[in-house]
Amino acid sequence: MAKLYFYYASMNAGKSTNLLQADFNYRERGMATMLFTAAVDDRFRPGTITSRIGLEAPATPFDAQTDLAACVASQHAADPLACVLVDEAQFLTGIQVAQLARICDSMGIPVLAYGLRTDFQGRLFEGAARLLAIADSLVEIKSVCVCGRKATMNLRVDAEGNPIAEGKQTEIGGNDRYLALCRRHFTEALAS
């Protein structure tokens, strides 16, 4: 039986690198995969999953209106898929997460979704919340805080490195905008 996996972590934990390695493993064995990435993430080339260590692969961009199940069904009919991989899964809608579950349950294709669990205020993203609720397997990818503890929080900072506590949930950025911290250092940074 195919399963829905949710690999979650804070920023800079290697989620995209892990996804690209999993994709490589399938393809190396001659198995077809389909990759998705959030269209809103425009840090790199559109339609590309890019890791901080320089790995990349083409992917189908998705937004809130994308019917992932229809995309996968179409591709699967043309070239049977062994796996579907989704980067930036926090940006999925609840309906899209249900579509991913249907891909597993009805089409028999495993789905590996990678994303953030929480935003810069420590609140769940819609996609992450739904994945945490219905995924068959939850896997935390570890990242490290400046103190050496496990980083679980994403601190948003301004251009000068000052913590930001208010704002819209989604603001695309990398090391220039976010720091992965343990809960203690996250809380202390916001209190200062």
Side-chain angles (χ1 to χ4, degrees):
M1 178 176 168
K3 291 184 178 180
L4 173 57
Y5 298 84
F6 182 36
Y7 296 87
Y8 64 92
S10 62
M11 299 282 294
N12 303 324
K15 297 176 297 296
S16 297
T17 302
N18 280 310
L19 180 153
L20 293 167
Q21 180 65 55
D23 177 60
F24 176 82
N25 292 344
Y26 276 98
R27 291 182 181 275
E28 185 179 43
R29 288 161 185 78
M31 298 178 193
T33 61
M34 185 168 190
L35 280 63
F36 289 95
T37 190
V40 69
D41 187 353
D42 58 2
R43 289 175 293 165
F44 306 103
R45 280 183 278 136
T48 303
I49 296 172
T50 304
S51 73
R52 291 178 298 115
I53 64 170
L55 303 174
E56 65 179 28
T60 302
F62 71 84
D63 60 24
Q65 286 70 47
T66 305
D67 185 334
L68 300 174
C71 292
V72 169
S74 176
Q75 182 64 36
H76 189 57
D79 187 14
L81 295 169
C83 187
V84 172
L85 300 103
V86 181
D87 198 27
E88 305 294 348
Q90 69 271 12
F91 297 128
L92 295 166
T93 66
I95 291 169
Q96 288 171 322
V97 173
Q99 291 170 358
L100 296 179
R102 223 172 33 251
I103 290 165
C104 297
D105 300 342
S106 299
M107 295 184 216
I109 304 169
V111 176
L112 284 60
Y114 295 77
L116 298 173
R117 183 180 62 162
T118 59
D119 65 14
F120 76 106
Q121 295 177 319
R123 295 187 178 122
L124 292 171
F125 283 97
E126 178 182 354
R130 198 68 195 124
L131 283 161
L132 287 167
I134 71 167
D136 298 299
S137 180
L138 302 172
V139 181
E140 183 178 25
I141 301 172
K142 307 293 191 288
S143 184
V144 181
C145 178
V146 294
C147 69
R149 290 188 182 118
K150 179 174 71 171
T152 57
M153 309 301 287
N154 302 300
L155 180 71
R156 185 182 290 170
V157 295
D158 64 18
E160 289 77 40
N162 300 310
I164 297 173
E166 299 294 324
K168 58 185 178 175
Q169 184 178 45
T170 301
E171 186 173 314
I172 303 301
N175 293 344
D176 60 326
R177 300 291 296 148
Y178 294 93
L179 297 174
L181 299 173
C182 67
R183 184 181 58 238
R184 178 179 148 215
H185 284 108
F186 173 82
T187 304
E188 287 175 1
L190 289 178
S192 61

